[in-house]
């Protein structure tokens, strides 16, 4: 990264594309079963989801799947989306 900046270039990370493709494909498979889910309308404050995250159950969740992040989730017990944003920023700070 440092070498790119010295040359006047911008480094861009295109992370999560695999995850977005997985979500899209899953929604398509569910549609074939007559189940419609709009990812843009999913409740960001689902208590059951935050309970699972607080137990460190975040396997295959982009940016939260590492064992280190799972341990942080267990300790922090996030209760809202802003908690997840903060944990992600603190655990993976930029340079």
């Amino acid at each position: 990264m440092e070498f790119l900046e010295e040359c006047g270039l911008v480094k861009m990370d295109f992370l999560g594309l695999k995850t977005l493709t997985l979500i899209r494909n899953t929604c398509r498979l569910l549609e074939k079963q007559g189940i419609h889910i709009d990812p843009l309308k999913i409740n960001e404050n689902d208590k059951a989801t935050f309970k699972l995250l607080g137990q460190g159950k975040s396997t295959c969740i982009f940016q939260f799947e590492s064992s280190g992040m799972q341990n942080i989730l267990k300790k922090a017990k996030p209760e809202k989306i802003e908690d997840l944003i903060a944990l992600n920023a603190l655990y993976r700070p930029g340079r």
Side-chain angles (χ1 to χ4, degrees):
M1 179 174 78
E2 299 89 30
F3 300 115
L4 290 176
E5 291 173 353
E6 288 176 15
C7 294
L9 299 173
V10 177
K11 177 184 179 277
M12 293 186 181
D13 290 328
F14 293 98
L15 303 173
L17 295 179
K18 183 172 122 182
T19 302
L20 293 173
T21 300
L22 178 65
I23 291 169
R24 183 190 65 211
N25 291 342
T26 300
C27 288
R28 286 179 180 167
L29 287 171
L30 289 170
E31 286 280 342
K32 290 180 181 180
Q33 300 293 318
I35 301 167
H36 176 74
I37 295 178
D38 183 349
L40 299 177
K41 293 182 180 177
I42 293 174
N43 181 1
E44 293 179 353
N45 298 306
D46 183 65
K47 290 188 185 298
T49 299
F50 283 98
K51 183 178 179 182
L52 290 172
L53 290 170
Q55 295 169 355
K57 296 181 179 178
S58 59
T59 302
C60 295
I61 298 177
F62 180 66
Q63 298 280 337
F64 293 92
E65 59 195 345
S66 72
S67 61
M69 183 56 94
Q70 289 174 352
N71 289 331
I72 298 289
L73 289 168
K74 289 179 196 176
K75 292 176 184 174
K77 305 280 188 220
E79 296 180 352
K80 56 189 181 228
I81 193 78
E82 290 84 4
D83 295 341
L84 295 177
I85 293 167
L87 289 172
N88 189 39
L90 291 169
Y91 189 77
R92 302 180 62 102
R95 296 179 188 217

